[in-house]
């Protein structure tokens, strides 16, 4: 792994950040959108953060993004178990406060989506090169 700056990944990161902001603000009346789809997209967001600044293969970066999601969920579980509470409302929205197995499924689906999109992108690039 090498530190770098990937402009394309960073541009995609900005777009996905805007999408996540829309999901967080406008998705409140739609629990499936905000709670599940938002978590699927969050793994892609984390992947793009890593991809923007680290030169590495798709799988290691996608796994790092997946484990980031799992770590957030573990943090939520531990906070609930020990009675801790995040007082900052913005952090509470970003990190969440309720551990849920559906979130773990969403993160796993996000991981699969990242891998599928990367494979599709590689195939498209190979077809253009041929």
């Amino acid at each position: 792994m090498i530190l770098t700056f990937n402009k394309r990944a960073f541009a995609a990161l900005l777009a996905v950040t805007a999408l996540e902001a829309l999901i967080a603000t406008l998705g409140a009346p739609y629990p499936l959108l905000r709670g599940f789809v938002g978590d699927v997209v969050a793994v892609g967001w984390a992947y793009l953060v890593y991809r923007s600044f680290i030169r590495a293969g798709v799988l290691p970066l996608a796994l790092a993004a997946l484990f980031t999601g799992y770590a957030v969920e573990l943090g939520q579980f531990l906070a609930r178990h020990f009675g801790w509470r995040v007082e900052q409302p913005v952090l509470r929205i970003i990190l969440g406060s309720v551990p849920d197995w559906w979130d773990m499924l969403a993160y796993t689906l996000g991981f699969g989506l990242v891998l599928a999109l990367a494979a599709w992108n590689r195939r498209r690039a190979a077809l253009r090169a041929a």
Side-chain angles (χ1 to χ4, degrees), residues 1 11 16-17 23 29 47-48 57-58 78 102 110 113 123 125:
M1 290 197 251
V16 172
T17 300
I23 289 172
Y47 171 79
L48 289 169
V58 171
L78 292 174
W102 287 106
L113 183 62
R123 178 188 275 170

Side-chain angles (χ1 to χ4, degrees), residues 20-98:
E20 282 283 32
L22 283 173
I23 289 172
T25 55
L26 301 178
Y30 310 103
L32 180 67
L33 176 65
R34 187 171 182 185
F36 193 80
V37 175
D39 287 343
V40 171
V41 175
V43 172
W45 182 87
Y47 171 79
L48 289 169
V49 168
Y50 298 141
R51 183 55 131 195
S52 294
F53 302 105
I54 300 170
R55 183 180 301 150
V58 171
L59 185 60
L61 295 178
L63 282 169
L66 174 65
F67 292 146
T68 299
Y70 287 171
V72 166
E73 207 62 28
L74 177 62
Q76 290 174 0
F77 172 78
L78 292 174
R80 176 159 283 201
H81 180 73
F82 291 111
W84 302 332
R85 186 164 187 263
V86 176
E87 294 298 326
Q88 188 60 250
V90 174
L91 273 179
R92 205 169 36 247
I93 290 170
I94 293 171
L95 295 176
S97 58
V98 179

Side-chain angles (χ1 to χ4, degrees), residues 8 117-130:
R8 289 184 61 186
L117 288 172
W120 177 75
N121 221 6
R122 265 194 314 273
R123 178 188 275 170
R124 197 181 78 196
L127 288 174
R128 261 191 278 165

